[in-house]
Amino acid sequence: MTLIRLGPEALRASRFALSPLAETLSRLIVLRLEIDGGRPGADAAALARWLDGDPFAAGLLRLVSATKYLPDFVAIPPASMSTRLADELAVMRGFTDARARATVAESVRFAWKTDHTGWVETDGVAGRVADVFARGWERFVEPDWARRRAVMERDIRHRAGVLALSGWRHAIDGVGKVRWAGPDAIRFSAQGHEDRIVGAEGLVLVPHTGTVGQWTCEDGSRIALVYPARGALDQPRIVPGGVGRLIGAGRARILAQLRAPATPSQLAVLLGVSLGTVSGHLAALREAGVVVGRRSGRTVYYERTPLGDDLAAMTQRRM
């Protein structure tokens, strides 16, 4: 069992951050596994065509999607909620060939697919890896970044609320497969890796929009835990006719998205409609008693009431 140990000082300094690099890694792994599954969607098919003509990218993604120990150069802890991909890739490009090859060798030790690793012998390997992630971001993440960010910010808002009411123990519990294992430790993995000791800089919690996958990012004393965000990018499908037709597709879609609290601006991004449209629907839903707005500072978050939960269940089904 692998533990992340946090003393009182570390807990006080712990915080949330966003990472375009972690989101890109998550997305590329999901698409790579979709290719392996034999029924790739449009994005996975595009990735397959790319990998067919790029042995370096193919070998890299084959490894990171089939190991329990990610190479250090793809697991870089982000600094804040405004972390830029360019800054993360600059850190990645700073890895020497010797350091990059050493961390790949460690990753291969914990991989269930260990072939096709000749790519790591390329000169300037970390720079080539950065180029792969820059291309992956541009093709598969950046066009949808606003919606992805909205999902991750909703998760952080939820956990920040739990933190304010109940402390880090409850805010962290349920992050991926993480569970508390004592007064000063959380269980990160069932694997027998060395325990991680979080210092005075605290633990950085980083959501991603993939449905599975959690990992740590470490750089000296800085440690981040990347985990799947609550909620999903997939749009719930509204059942044609019935209650959904009665209240209208727009309001039904808003109810479906409010399985987790959200601001009007986040809903507009997630649904791809104007803020005015969302505000009008929310006003009607609020008057009907199916949603309620709660203020947090200058921001108002909307959530379903119990009546809203019942109404949403009658109007939707998962894709």
Side-chain angles (χ1 to χ4, degrees):
M1 182 169 62
T2 303
L3 300 178
I4 299 176
R5 296 192 176 276
L6 307 97
E9 186 177 9
L11 283 173
R12 283 194 296 270
S14 294
R15 60 202 183 278
F16 295 94
L18 294 179
S19 170
L21 176 60
E23 182 68 10
T24 303
L25 174 61
S26 170
R27 182 63 175 151
L28 290 174
I29 289 175
V30 166
L31 294 177
R32 182 67 182 79
L33 295 176
E34 191 176 323
I35 293 170
D36 287 345
R39 299 183 63 183
D43 279 354
L47 177 63
R49 291 191 294 272
W50 169 17
L51 300 184
D52 283 345
D54 189 340
F56 183 95
L60 169 65
L61 295 188
R62 185 178 180 86
L63 175 61
V64 298
S65 63
T67 183
K68 292 184 177 295
Y69 189 99
L70 289 169
D72 292 345
F73 51 68
V74 301
I76 296 169
S80 68
M81 291 291 293
S82 57
T83 303
R84 301 185 310 162
L85 179 68
D87 296 331
E88 295 178 296
L89 295 184
V91 175
M92 184 184 293
R93 294 182 192 279
F95 277 67
T96 65
D97 284 350
R99 185 181 175 195
R101 289 165 186 154
T103 189
V104 167
E106 187 71 3
S107 185
V108 169
R109 285 183 55 213
F110 294 94
W112 51 92
K113 294 180 181 178
T114 58
D115 53 346
H116 304 292
T117 57
W119 56 272
V120 77
E121 299 303 322
T122 303
D123 290 339
V125 61
R128 289 285 304 277
V129 172
D131 291 342
V132 169
F133 278 91
R135 182 175 175 181
W137 158 267
E138 182 179 353
R139 173 62 179 83
F140 302 113
V141 179
E142 187 178 26
D144 202 25
W145 175 244
R147 195 161 65 99
R148 293 174 181 277
R149 183 177 183 117
V151 170
M152 293 184 282
E153 286 177 341
R154 282 205 302 180
D155 175 272
I156 290 172
R157 184 265 173 185
H158 165 77
R159 297 192 188 281
V162 174
L163 171 63
L165 290 174
S166 306
W168 275 113
R169 175 179 290 272
H170 294 281
I172 291 177
D173 198 32
V175 168
K177 297 180 180 179
V178 165
R179 297 293 182 270
W180 281 93
D184 65 345
I186 56 177
R187 187 187 70 180
F188 165 69
S189 170
Q191 302 294 314
H193 303 307
E194 183 178 352
D195 289 352
R196 273 62 168 171
I197 309 300
V198 180
E201 294 190 36
L203 181 67
V204 181
L205 293 164
V206 184
H208 69 88
T209 65
T211 54
V212 295
Q214 65 180 38
W215 60 90
T216 56
C217 303
E218 303 174 47
D219 182 9
S221 61
R222 291 197 304 141
I223 300 178
L225 173 61
V226 183
Y227 65 92
R230 297 169 73 251
L233 279 173
D234 291 339
Q235 299 284 353
R237 178 174 294 170
I238 307 304
V239 178
V243 175
R245 182 175 182 180
L246 178 66
I247 67 172
R251 293 170 190 173
R253 292 173 67 207
I254 287 175
L255 275 181
Q257 281 295 338
L258 287 179
R259 59 190 181 275
T263 68
S265 296
Q266 289 171 343
L267 288 170
V269 170
L270 290 165
L271 296 172
V273 298
S274 71
L275 181 58
T277 297
V278 168
S279 297
H281 287 322
L282 285 172
L285 292 169
R286 186 176 60 246
E287 290 176 6
V290 295
V291 304
V292 63
R294 303 190 188 280
R295 183 169 294 279
S296 177
R298 297 182 178 180
T299 304
V300 177
Y301 287 85
Y302 285 85
E303 59 187 53
R304 296 191 305 226
T305 64
L307 176 60
D309 289 338
D310 292 340
L311 187 60
M314 289 188 285
T315 62
Q316 66 174 293
R317 62 184 174 87
R318 303 290 295 180
M319 276 186 174

